[in-house]
Amino acid sequence: MQQGSGMEMIFILIIFGAIFYFMIYRPQAKRQKQQRELLASLAKGEEVLTSGGLIGKITKITADNDNIVIALNDTTEITIKRDFVVAVLPKGSLKSL
């Protein structure tokens, strides 16, 4: 009876490991990969949304220190870290606001 319970415990641990992989690790890895691809594809002229809720158009990208300059309107520009970009918006999103 003791040997059977040891095998059952190993089987349960394997099942929990599979659940952890498919429910937690794998989706998180996919999100991280998509975010890296998004940051790598940023280009001048794209309209972006930042994690702070700012919406603007990229006017300058500096490759050496991972900063980008975003124009919020015609007179206001800010410099932020590239990592704070959450999404690239469709063209014309700023005009529709």
Side-chain angles (χ1 to χ4, degrees):
M1 188 108 166
Q2 290 292 344
Q3 293 175 351
S5 77
M7 291 300 289
E8 291 172 5
M9 183 62 87
I10 291 173
F11 183 68
I12 290 172
L13 287 174
I14 290 172
I15 289 174
F16 279 126
I19 290 171
F20 175 79
Y21 175 76
F22 286 107
M23 299 294 284
I24 297 172
Y25 178 74
R26 190 169 175 222
Q28 181 65 25
K30 274 184 161 180
R31 280 191 291 273
Q32 288 176 344
K33 182 180 177 186
Q34 289 174 343
Q35 181 69 12
R36 274 184 302 213
E37 290 171 356
L38 171 81
L39 295 178
S41 69
L42 290 178
K44 184 177 176 181
E46 289 185 331
E47 296 174 1
V48 295
L49 172 68
T50 67
S51 61
L54 298 174
I55 297 174
K57 185 180 283 191
I58 298 175
T59 58
K60 184 179 176 185
I61 297 177
T62 56
D64 57 339
N65 57 1
D66 292 332
N67 289 334
I68 60 175
V69 177
I70 297 177
L72 301 177
N73 56 29
D74 294 336
T75 59
T76 308
E77 288 187 342
I78 59 169
T79 303
I80 64 167
K81 297 270 304 166
R82 183 186 296 238
D83 299 338
F84 289 104
V85 173
V86 176
V88 175
L89 302 173
K91 296 284 184 191
S93 296
L94 287 175
K95 292 180 182 176
S96 68
L97 297 174

